[in-house]
Amino acid sequence: MREDTRAVHGDKGYDKYTGAISYPLYMSATFAHPEVGKSTGYDYSRLQNPTREEVEETIKYLEHGCAGLAYSSGMAAITAIFAVLPARSHILLSEDLYGGTPRLANEYFADHLEIEYVDTTDLELVKSKIKDNTKALFIETPSNPMMLVSDIAALADLIHQNQGYLIVDNTFLTPILQKPLDLGADVVVHSGTKYLCGHNDVIAGFIVVGDRQELIEALKQHYKSTGAILSPFDSWLMIRSMKTLSIRVKKQQENAEKLVDFLKNHKNVTKVYYVGMEDHPGYDLNKKQAAGAGAMISFKVRDAKKAKDVLKKIKLIYFAESLGGVESLMTYPLLQTHAEAPKELTQKVGIDDTLLRMSVGIEDLEDLIQDLQQALDD
Ligand SMILES: *Cc1c(COP(=O)(O)O)cnc(C)c1O
């Protein structure tokens, strides 16, 4: 079954007992046993829940993985993957990442892991940083918010020489546009809050693992032990959301491509960062490893005053954190998503007070252009 169909129909899909087309919401904390030593397969919802399993199996299928786990947030998923890495292993992270990831690594994992940041677009540099105990590479591609593209297949080869894992945060492109596991990555993480949910109404996270059984076992044990599970109701909302994932992402991307043309030609916009632009340094690589450039655009305006002005003037587009939903949002990375990221990292990658990031929604293109126009004009 092709992905678009699987996203619509889910794993088990409709309920065989009643014929209900919508997969049932099993709002039960615990499950009755027929007798000692027997189980229906469901014991307690921290361990297994049928509704959660349905969404886990669906995302696993879409990412071409061997196991899927649904978490209460993207950060809970990233916490889990950091926690199960062998103690004192060295981990290399991309310099440009969602701000919460370096905050989590630096504040809570500095005793457990040896953490180092590197420009993962530079393969020679990554190679020179790999040591005997380097057990993981953690990347986003395209990255947040500077849209840097890293070579998934080449990085996977590098870390596999050390029996390590390549972990890809695939939140921006989703499995509709990029399948890191097919390219050699070992783990995909998602903030399900973003495109997978798409409606700005659920906080969720996912991990999908490729054929790495030891890691799957470790993650399942951690999951059961720590309990950062996605609730049955949120799982049910995610099942519903993912039915439209493919059409949403495609429409958002179509709008984004047109908005990039508009932004490039506006006199108060000084630079546009979008991997679908032919003059973007990651254009060819992204084209090779992904089926599209997605719907995230970063751009710089004349000065900080203009950036603040735009955020005040936009009406249809909301000035809000987050991304991936059907509603277009704009953020100010320096003071929002990256407010607590290490300053030397933000400065190095170019996150400054003129940078704005837009998550393009599914609204009518002309309305979006009009709103941007009135906000950007002097
Ligand atoms: C939002 C986001 C996260 C964190 O996910 P939450 O669901 O907010 O916990 C991680 N990575 C990326 C790329 C994100 O955009």
Side-chain angles (χ1 to χ4, degrees):
M1 196 185 287
R2 290 175 182 80
E3 277 81 16
D4 284 12
T5 313
R6 177 55 64 103
V8 174
H9 286 260
D11 178 58
K12 295 196 186 67
Y14 85 112
D15 177 31
K16 309 283 183 292
Y17 297 106
T18 63
I21 297 298
S22 164
Y23 193 83
L25 168 54
Y26 288 91
M27 206 76 179
S28 190
T30 190
F31 299 84
H33 303 303
E35 58 179 274
V36 173
K38 283 202 175 153
S39 163
T40 58
Y42 300 99
D43 305 308
Y44 186 67
S45 275
R46 173 154 40 76
L47 316 183
Q48 324 91 354
N49 177 279
T51 313
R52 193 169 70 236
E53 256 176 32
E54 179 69 6
V55 69
E56 288 174 336
E57 289 300 308
T58 304
I59 183 74
K60 172 184 116 182
Y61 191 94
L62 298 183
E63 287 284 8
H64 292 176
C66 297
L69 289 165
Y71 291 85
S72 53
S73 71
M75 291 323 298
I78 297 172
T79 300
I81 194 72
F82 285 167
V84 300
L85 291 174
R88 273 164 287 290
S89 47
H90 178 227
I91 177 171
L92 290 168
L93 297 97
S94 298
E95 281 174 345
D96 188 35
L97 287 175
Y98 171 73
T101 303
R103 181 180 61 205
L104 173 71
N106 298 346
E107 287 188 20
Y108 298 99
F109 286 94
D111 292 336
H112 175 56
L113 301 169
E114 200 186 319
I115 297 154
E116 191 177 350
Y117 298 90
V118 61
D119 174 0
T120 52
T121 67
D122 184 342
L123 288 173
E124 285 309 312
L125 185 64
V126 175
K127 206 168 168 177
S128 74
K129 297 272 184 191
I130 291 184
K131 309 189 286 188
D132 288 348
N133 67 333
T134 309
K135 288 294 170 217
L137 292 177
F138 186 107
I139 65 166
E140 285 174 19
T141 178
S143 64
N144 183 9
M146 301 310 291
M147 311 294 161
L148 303 173
V149 181
S150 295
D151 189 331
I152 297 174
L155 290 168
D157 281 348
L158 277 182
I159 194 69
H160 289 162
Q161 289 167 21
N162 254 17
Q163 277 76 50
Y165 305 116
L166 174 63
I167 306 158
V168 180
D169 183 334
N170 204 29
T171 300
F172 267 31
L173 290 189
T174 83
I176 300 301
L177 298 176
Q178 177 168 271
K179 291 193 179 58
L181 300 179
D182 283 357
L183 296 160
D186 305 282
V187 184
V188 164
V189 299
H190 274 282
S191 169
T193 313
K194 314 295 168 56
Y195 288 97
L196 299 182
C197 168
H199 295 73
N200 288 316
D201 52 9
V202 181
I203 299 282
F206 294 95
I207 293 183
V208 183
V209 189
D211 189 13
R212 301 296 293 255
Q213 286 311 316
E214 73 295 348
L215 191 61
I216 294 171
E217 290 317 311
L219 282 166
K220 284 191 170 163
Q221 187 65 18
H222 180 268
Y223 192 78
K224 179 166 107 175
S225 307
T226 58
I229 58 168
L230 192 63
S231 76
F233 184 57
D234 285 343
S235 298
W236 183 84
L237 282 170
M238 291 301 303
I239 293 168
R240 197 178 75 155
S241 292
M242 279 162 59
K243 287 176 189 288
T244 55
L245 176 64
S246 179
I247 53 164
R248 281 189 281 108
V249 167
K250 286 169 189 161
K251 167 74 179 173
Q252 284 170 275
Q253 176 171 262
E254 203 180 290
N255 274 350
E257 284 163 356
K258 306 265 170 48
L259 284 184
V260 163
D261 290 336
F262 166 80
L263 287 169
K264 276 200 300 201
N265 292 312
H266 196 285
K267 71 171 174 34
N268 290 332
V269 174
T270 54
K271 192 157 172 61
V272 180
Y273 304 82
Y274 181 65
V275 289
M277 290 169 10
E278 281 181 37
D279 56 355
H280 185 286
Y283 176 81
D284 289 327
L285 179 56
N286 188 72
K287 201 159 181 182
K288 193 177 89 182
Q289 66 186 11
M296 295 299 300
I297 306 169
S298 290
F299 60 99
K300 286 189 175 173
V301 291
R302 197 176 56 209
D303 51 33
K305 185 182 169 297
K306 191 81 208 166
K308 291 193 179 116
D309 227 37
V310 169
L311 292 169
K312 195 170 164 187
K313 281 181 165 170
I314 46 174
K315 295 191 188 90
L316 182 70
I317 303 162
Y318 299 115
F319 168 31
E321 246 167 291
S322 204
L323 61 105
V326 290
E327 303 90 356
S328 293
L329 305 181
M330 202 180 284
T331 62
Y332 199 32
L334 188 70
L335 298 185
Q336 291 183 297
T337 52
H338 288 69
E340 291 172 58
K343 283 287 158 284
E344 58 283 6
L345 280 188
T346 49
Q347 272 170 11
K348 185 169 178 220
V349 297
I351 301 172
D352 63 21
D353 58 7
T354 68
L355 182 78
L356 295 168
R357 191 197 71 188
M358 183 170 173
S359 167
V360 181
I362 64 167
E363 299 93 339
D364 184 277
L365 179 68
E366 289 310 316
D367 287 332
L368 290 175
I369 289 179
Q370 250 176 38
D371 197 34
L372 276 177
Q373 176 105 49
Q374 64 81 25
L376 277 164
D377 282 353
D378 291 316

